[in-house]
Structure formats: structure tokens, C-alpha cells
Amino acid sequence: MLRLAITLVTMVTLALGVTSLKEGNDTSSFVVENGSLYTSKIVMERSGTSKVVSNITAPSSISRQLFSLWVKVSRNPKYSSSIYLFTLGSTSNSVYIADDVIYASACGRRASLKKTYKDYFGKWVHFVYSYGSNYLRIWINGQFLIESYVSQCYIKSGQAFTLGNQIPTGYKLEVAYANLYSYHIYSSQDVTSYLRTVYSDPRALAPWSSFIKGQLIAATLKKDSEALLSAASEVQCSLKSMNVTLFRHSFRHLQPSLMSLVDSSCNATSYDEDSVTFVIPYGTCGTSRHVDMKNTVVTYTNWIYPDRRNRVSRMTRPVAFACRVLYSLADKHTYILAYWI
């Protein structure tokens, strides 16, 4: 579960069926099933060698790299070991977890991010690994963690790009939307667009499609919902309404005009090239209400249907979301809590 320190509560599950694709989007990152398209993730959970090697290698020596990807590491708490998230060319350029601490390396020079991974186990996390101008920089979920001086570091011509490597007993590694670029970035502001890039980016040197079509060793391609949702949606809850936004960077393949809430007459409130927004006053558009008198909590729930034309197919199951309003008898204040499920 991804918990967020913001003034809202959402309870979300997703299994989006995709109705169409905007012209120009790279469809190779989608999985076709029964005529419908789905975004995808790669799962590595077999102990031992388990990895994915991109079908694109370095065309020449690369002195600048930016790797953006979503990662979920699950671990049985009885086990503690080391696990590589990815390597670029060789393990000398990588990010890995050892004894619950995150490490990054460039040309074999290791830097501890001084950040335990315990808070991230079982959650989707966005990584940006950037090297250029003699500096290695790492961001997690848009937060800048480290800058380390490493001089003259290259990925050699012909070297491969790899997700995973050895999966320890009790661990599972899931990866989605990995895109490797042949340039680097400096600022946290630049990270935002990569946080929203949950598709195969045609601008990338090794896009997500090159991993999906690459060599999968003890790895499985599956439909994704959680990583896409973590990156691509936002729910804001007030005392009067739920405001739900889907970012077009990620949902380029959806047609807003076909989307609806439980009440099929309730359409998207607004949409443009950047986002799709639903504003739902409590008690409208089919919103359900559950009252917990003991704890003075009211939970409001609704669903976004991707395609109003086909609301019963398992291919078009809705996005569920909710807002929870808590009235505190102790201090006479109303609180709106915050977490994702």
C-alpha cells in the first residue's frame, strides 16, 4: 500500500480495459487480450537467476544516462538479503538493496542513499537514476536523495540493460514502464514528467517495449494496474465533494467522452490534453455512503467506468475510489485522512 501524507482518503483498485489509443502513442508497451489492450508489468519471483535483458544494447559508448522506472519489491520478513533492481551495462552501474539499505553505483563506485527500504517494501516506487557531467543523482518518488561525484563513467558499446538479476529466497521483484535515455537531468523539477511517463516512450534509447520484447529469464509478463494508478491519478477530498483527476501523460489511450461514474449520466467534468477531471458532490452520481456511528466516520464511494458502452465486461472493470470523513468527538474537528489501497 502506498500511503500519502495529503488531506484525502482514497481506496482504489484498478483493472482498466482500454478502448482506444491516441494517434502517435507507442502501443508496443501494451498487452493484447481478447481484443482489448492493457498496460503491462514484468514479475520476477523465482529464487535464483531471474532477469530481463533489453533487446537493445548500447549503440556506442554512453557517457550520459537517465533511467526512469517503477519498481515494487516484496519480501517475506523472515528473509533479508541483497537484490538488484537494475544494471546498466554491468553491475558497476546499478541500483540494489542490501540489508534493507538502498545503494547506487556508477563505474563501481558505490554510494549509499542513506535510506532504508523498509518503508517501501510491498509498494510501487518510482526511481530516476541519472549520470552525466561526472555526477550520479538519484530520485525516489520525485524526492532527491543523493548526488555523488564519479568521473568519466561510460556504458560501453554493445553492453546490455538488465532488470533484476538474482532473486533471493522470499523476495519478489516487479518492474513497469522502464525507459532509458541517453541524456541526464539536474533538478527535481525535471523528474515530474518522468514520474507520469507510464508507457513506452519512443524518445528513449531503450524504451519499455525493448524490455517487454527482450530476453525474459524466469520472468513473467502480466497486466499492470497498481503502478499505473500510483503515477497517473489523484483524488482530493473536501467536505463537499470528491475531485478525481487522471493525468493524460499516462492515460493517453482512454477516451474521456466514453468514461462515466456509477450514474452513467455523470461524465467527466472537464478534460484537455493534460488531464481528465471528475468533480463529484457527495450524494450525487451514484455515490454510496457508509456511516460508522461508533467511530463517527462517513465513507463515500464511487467508480469511474472506462467505457460507458460496456459496463459489465470484466475487460472494463471500473476504478473504485472513496473519501472518508472523520469527526472527532474529542476536539470537535472534522478530519479527512489520507492513504492509497
Side-chain angles (χ1 to χ4, degrees):
M1 292 191 296
L2 176 62
R3 299 187 180 275
L4 304 176
I6 48 182
T7 57
L8 57 97
V9 167
T10 61
M11 292 180 292
V12 193
T13 59
L14 175 64
L16 276 179
V18 180
T19 58
S20 68
L21 290 159
K22 286 188 67 177
E23 183 178 356
N25 195 31
D26 183 352
T27 63
S28 55
S29 62
F30 295 88
V31 182
V32 178
E33 180 180 303
N34 294 341
S36 295
L37 293 167
Y38 290 84
T39 50
S40 50
K41 65 181 177 182
I42 294 173
V43 180
M44 291 162 273
E45 54 187 333
R46 186 185 303 174
S47 298
T49 300
S50 182
K51 61 184 179 181
V52 178
V53 183
S54 170
N55 65 5
I56 294 176
T57 59
S60 59
S61 294
I62 303 173
S63 60
R64 298 183 299 165
Q65 312 111 43
L66 187 152
F67 199 29
S68 168
L69 71 164
W70 283 84
V71 173
K72 181 179 178 181
V73 180
S74 301
R75 185 198 65 172
N76 185 322
K78 294 189 300 183
Y79 298 93
S80 181
S81 187
S82 301
I83 182 171
Y84 277 93
L85 305 185
F86 62 86
T87 59
L88 304 179
S90 70
T91 54
S92 296
N93 307 303
S94 61
V95 168
Y96 60 97
I97 303 166
D99 298 323
D100 296 345
V101 176
I102 312 171
Y103 295 92
S105 66
C107 289
R109 301 180 189 178
R110 188 178 76 168
S112 168
L113 304 189
K114 295 181 174 60
K115 179 72 175 179
T116 177
Y117 207 80
K118 290 182 179 179
D119 294 339
Y120 298 129
F121 282 120
K123 304 174 185 177
W124 280 101
V125 177
H126 180 251
F127 275 88
V128 168
Y129 171 106
S130 178
Y131 176 80
S133 299
N134 296 326
Y135 279 93
L136 169 66
R137 299 177 177 89
I138 300 290
W139 289 263
I140 295 182
N141 290 342
Q143 179 185 3
F144 178 70
L145 288 189
I146 195 169
E147 179 180 82
S148 180
Y149 180 81
V150 181
S151 64
Q152 297 181 339
C153 186
Y154 298 88
I155 297 176
K156 298 178 181 178
S157 176
Q159 287 188 316
F161 315 119
T162 305
L163 305 174
N165 195 345
Q166 294 287 326
I167 304 299
T169 300
Y171 282 73
K172 179 170 73 171
L173 174 63
E174 299 173 69
V175 181
Y177 317 116
N179 291 283
L180 175 66
Y181 306 85
S182 57
Y183 51 80
H184 68 291
I185 57 176
Y186 299 91
S187 70
S188 298
Q189 188 175 12
D190 295 330
V191 172
T192 303
S193 63
Y194 299 98
L195 191 68
R196 302 295 185 200
T197 305
V198 282
Y199 49 85
S200 186
D201 193 343
R203 301 173 301 168
L205 169 66
W208 178 226
S209 58
S210 71
F211 292 97
I212 291 176
K213 297 177 180 179
Q215 185 180 13
L216 277 66
I217 302 173
T220 307
L221 186 64
K222 295 184 178 181
K223 291 184 294 186
D224 166 60
S225 59
E226 297 174 300
L228 180 68
L229 182 64
S230 299
S233 67
E234 179 180 274
V235 180
Q236 295 182 334
C237 303
S238 70
L239 292 177
K240 295 182 178 180
S241 66
M242 296 182 281
N243 301 335
V244 183
T245 300
L246 305 179
F247 295 101
R248 297 288 283 166
H249 277 101
S250 308
F251 287 103
R252 293 181 176 185
H253 44 285
L254 292 181
Q255 289 187 8
S257 61
L258 296 178
M259 300 167 70
S260 72
L261 300 172
V262 169
D263 182 343
S264 59
S265 65
C266 291
N267 307 322
T269 307
S270 62
Y271 58 88
D272 53 29
E273 287 299 311
D274 296 322
S275 61
V276 181
T277 300
F278 290 81
V279 177
I280 309 115
Y282 297 137
T284 68
C285 296
T287 301
S288 67
R289 186 180 72 163
H290 175 75
V291 180
D292 181 346
M293 296 297 294
K294 181 179 179 180
N295 297 307
T296 63
V297 174
V298 181
T299 302
Y300 298 93
T301 308
N302 209 313
W303 293 261
I304 295 177
Y305 286 83
D307 190 345
R308 68 172 70 249
R309 302 169 302 179
N310 190 358
R311 294 162 61 93
V312 297
S313 169
R314 70 181 182 87
M315 297 296 180
T316 54
R317 288 193 294 259
V319 181
F321 58 92
C323 291
R324 182 172 295 169
V325 181
L326 167 66
Y327 180 72
S328 171
L329 296 175
D331 57 14
K332 309 299 182 184
H333 280 82
T334 300
Y335 298 93
I336 303 176
L337 307 178
Y339 58 86
W340 291 96
I341 294 181

mmCIF file of all heavy atoms in Angstrom, residues 193-208:
data_model
loop_
_atom_site.group_PDB
_atom_site.id
_atom_site.type_symbol
_atom_site.label_atom_id
_atom_site.label_comp_id
_atom_site.label_asym_id
_atom_site.label_seq_id
_atom_site.Cartn_x
_atom_site.Cartn_y
_atom_site.Cartn_z
ATOM 1 N N SER A 193 7.916 14.927 -15.112
ATOM 2 C CA SER A 193 7.389 14.370 -16.357
ATOM 3 C C SER A 193 7.690 12.878 -16.474
ATOM 4 O O SER A 193 6.890 12.109 -17.021
ATOM 5 C CB SER A 193 7.970 15.103 -17.568
ATOM 6 O OG SER A 193 9.369 14.944 -17.641
ATOM 7 N N TYR A 194 8.825 12.430 -15.901
ATOM 8 C CA TYR A 194 9.163 11.006 -15.950
ATOM 9 C C TYR A 194 8.300 10.209 -14.964
ATOM 10 O O TYR A 194 7.976 9.051 -15.204
ATOM 11 C CB TYR A 194 10.644 10.800 -15.666
ATOM 12 C CG TYR A 194 11.508 11.495 -16.685
ATOM 13 C CD1 TYR A 194 12.062 12.744 -16.433
ATOM 14 C CD2 TYR A 194 11.727 10.921 -17.938
ATOM 15 C CE1 TYR A 194 12.820 13.399 -17.389
ATOM 16 C CE2 TYR A 194 12.484 11.566 -18.900
ATOM 17 C CZ TYR A 194 13.031 12.810 -18.618
ATOM 18 O OH TYR A 194 13.772 13.465 -19.574
ATOM 19 N N LEU A 195 7.914 10.855 -13.874
ATOM 20 C CA LEU A 195 7.018 10.227 -12.905
ATOM 21 C C LEU A 195 5.686 9.889 -13.550
ATOM 22 O O LEU A 195 5.030 8.909 -13.192
ATOM 23 C CB LEU A 195 6.808 11.185 -11.729
ATOM 24 C CG LEU A 195 6.115 10.671 -10.484
ATOM 25 C CD1 LEU A 195 6.982 9.653 -9.769
ATOM 26 C CD2 LEU A 195 5.787 11.822 -9.544
ATOM 27 N N ARG A 196 5.282 10.684 -14.537
ATOM 28 C CA ARG A 196 3.999 10.475 -15.217
ATOM 29 C C ARG A 196 4.142 9.649 -16.500
ATOM 30 O O ARG A 196 3.146 9.335 -17.146
ATOM 31 C CB ARG A 196 3.372 11.822 -15.576
ATOM 32 C CG ARG A 196 3.135 12.758 -14.400
ATOM 33 C CD ARG A 196 2.121 12.214 -13.436
ATOM 34 N NE ARG A 196 1.815 13.173 -12.378
ATOM 35 C CZ ARG A 196 1.281 12.850 -11.222
ATOM 36 N NH1 ARG A 196 0.999 11.593 -10.957
ATOM 37 N NH2 ARG A 196 1.029 13.777 -10.306
ATOM 38 N N THR A 197 5.353 9.297 -16.884
ATOM 39 C CA THR A 197 5.555 8.560 -18.140
ATOM 40 C C THR A 197 5.382 7.072 -17.892
ATOM 41 O O THR A 197 6.351 6.338 -17.711
ATOM 42 C CB THR A 197 6.952 8.866 -18.725
ATOM 43 O OG1 THR A 197 7.100 10.275 -18.876
ATOM 44 C CG2 THR A 197 7.120 8.204 -20.095
ATOM 45 N N VAL A 198 4.136 6.622 -17.849
ATOM 46 C CA VAL A 198 3.870 5.207 -17.619
ATOM 47 C C VAL A 198 3.402 4.571 -18.933
ATOM 48 O O VAL A 198 2.276 4.124 -19.079
ATOM 49 C CB VAL A 198 2.847 4.996 -16.481
ATOM 50 C CG1 VAL A 198 3.518 5.162 -15.146
ATOM 51 C CG2 VAL A 198 1.684 5.960 -16.594
ATOM 52 N N TYR A 199 4.322 4.562 -19.873
ATOM 53 C CA TYR A 199 4.125 3.926 -21.173
ATOM 54 C C TYR A 199 5.507 3.761 -21.790
ATOM 55 O O TYR A 199 6.518 4.150 -21.203
ATOM 56 C CB TYR A 199 3.209 4.758 -22.081
ATOM 57 C CG TYR A 199 3.571 6.225 -22.183
ATOM 58 C CD1 TYR A 199 4.521 6.666 -23.091
ATOM 59 C CD2 TYR A 199 2.971 7.174 -21.356
ATOM 60 C CE1 TYR A 199 4.868 7.996 -23.186
ATOM 61 C CE2 TYR A 199 3.316 8.515 -21.444
ATOM 62 C CZ TYR A 199 4.258 8.920 -22.358
ATOM 63 O OH TYR A 199 4.609 10.249 -22.439
ATOM 64 N N SER A 200 5.575 3.171 -22.944
ATOM 65 C CA SER A 200 6.846 3.020 -23.644
ATOM 66 C C SER A 200 7.126 4.306 -24.397
ATOM 67 O O SER A 200 6.378 4.689 -25.292
ATOM 68 C CB SER A 200 6.768 1.831 -24.601
ATOM 69 O OG SER A 200 8.023 1.585 -25.181
ATOM 70 N N ASP A 201 8.197 4.995 -24.021
ATOM 71 C CA ASP A 201 8.492 6.321 -24.562
ATOM 72 C C ASP A 201 9.338 6.194 -25.832
ATOM 73 O O ASP A 201 10.486 5.743 -25.773
ATOM 74 C CB ASP A 201 9.240 7.144 -23.524
ATOM 75 C CG ASP A 201 9.298 8.621 -23.879
ATOM 76 O OD1 ASP A 201 9.060 8.956 -25.061
ATOM 77 O OD2 ASP A 201 9.571 9.441 -22.982
ATOM 78 N N PRO A 202 8.813 6.610 -26.975
ATOM 79 C CA PRO A 202 9.576 6.491 -28.220
ATOM 80 C C PRO A 202 10.826 7.358 -28.251
ATOM 81 O O PRO A 202 11.694 7.161 -29.103
ATOM 82 C CB PRO A 202 8.564 6.913 -29.294
ATOM 83 C CG PRO A 202 7.554 7.731 -28.570
ATOM 84 C CD PRO A 202 7.466 7.152 -27.194
ATOM 85 N N ARG A 203 10.939 8.314 -27.319
ATOM 86 C CA ARG A 203 12.140 9.166 -27.257
ATOM 87 C C ARG A 203 13.320 8.431 -26.620
ATOM 88 O O ARG A 203 14.466 8.870 -26.729
ATOM 89 C CB ARG A 203 11.854 10.421 -26.437
ATOM 90 C CG ARG A 203 10.729 11.291 -26.951
ATOM 91 C CD ARG A 203 10.438 12.394 -25.944
ATOM 92 N NE ARG A 203 10.067 11.821 -24.645
ATOM 93 C CZ ARG A 203 9.974 12.536 -23.521
ATOM 94 N NH1 ARG A 203 10.256 13.823 -23.531
ATOM 95 N NH2 ARG A 203 9.606 11.953 -22.387
ATOM 96 N N ALA A 204 13.048 7.328 -25.930
ATOM 97 C CA ALA A 204 14.086 6.646 -25.147
ATOM 98 C C ALA A 204 15.033 5.849 -26.029
ATOM 99 O O ALA A 204 14.659 5.331 -27.081
ATOM 100 C CB ALA A 204 13.428 5.726 -24.123
ATOM 101 N N LEU A 205 16.282 5.730 -25.575
ATOM 102 C CA LEU A 205 17.259 4.867 -26.245
ATOM 103 C C LEU A 205 16.820 3.403 -26.131
ATOM 104 O O LEU A 205 16.861 2.652 -27.098
ATOM 105 C CB LEU A 205 18.637 5.057 -25.600
ATOM 106 C CG LEU A 205 19.727 4.052 -25.995
ATOM 107 C CD1 LEU A 205 20.077 4.207 -27.470
ATOM 108 C CD2 LEU A 205 20.965 4.235 -25.128
ATOM 109 N N ALA A 206 16.406 3.011 -24.919
ATOM 110 C CA ALA A 206 15.856 1.670 -24.683
ATOM 111 C C ALA A 206 14.506 1.855 -23.995
ATOM 112 O O ALA A 206 14.434 1.975 -22.772
ATOM 113 C CB ALA A 206 16.798 0.837 -23.820
ATOM 114 N N PRO A 207 13.417 1.913 -24.775
ATOM 115 C CA PRO A 207 12.095 2.127 -24.189
ATOM 116 C C PRO A 207 11.559 0.881 -23.505
ATOM 117 O O PRO A 207 12.141 -0.207 -23.611
ATOM 118 C CB PRO A 207 11.239 2.506 -25.409
ATOM 119 C CG PRO A 207 11.908 1.814 -26.552
ATOM 120 C CD PRO A 207 13.380 1.820 -26.237
ATOM 121 N N TRP A 208 10.461 1.016 -22.811
ATOM 122 C CA TRP A 208 9.836 -0.084 -22.094
ATOM 123 C C TRP A 208 9.556 -1.274 -23.016
ATOM 124 O O TRP A 208 9.709 -2.423 -22.630
ATOM 125 C CB TRP A 208 8.559 0.420 -21.440
ATOM 126 C CG TRP A 208 7.717 -0.564 -20.685
ATOM 127 C CD1 TRP A 208 6.363 -0.702 -20.778
ATOM 128 C CD2 TRP A 208 8.136 -1.514 -19.689
ATOM 129 N NE1 TRP A 208 5.919 -1.677 -19.908
ATOM 130 C CE2 TRP A 208 6.991 -2.192 -19.233
ATOM 131 C CE3 TRP A 208 9.381 -1.865 -19.160
ATOM 132 C CZ2 TRP A 208 7.046 -3.201 -18.272
ATOM 133 C CZ3 TRP A 208 9.431 -2.868 -18.198
ATOM 134 C CH2 TRP A 208 8.281 -3.524 -17.759
#
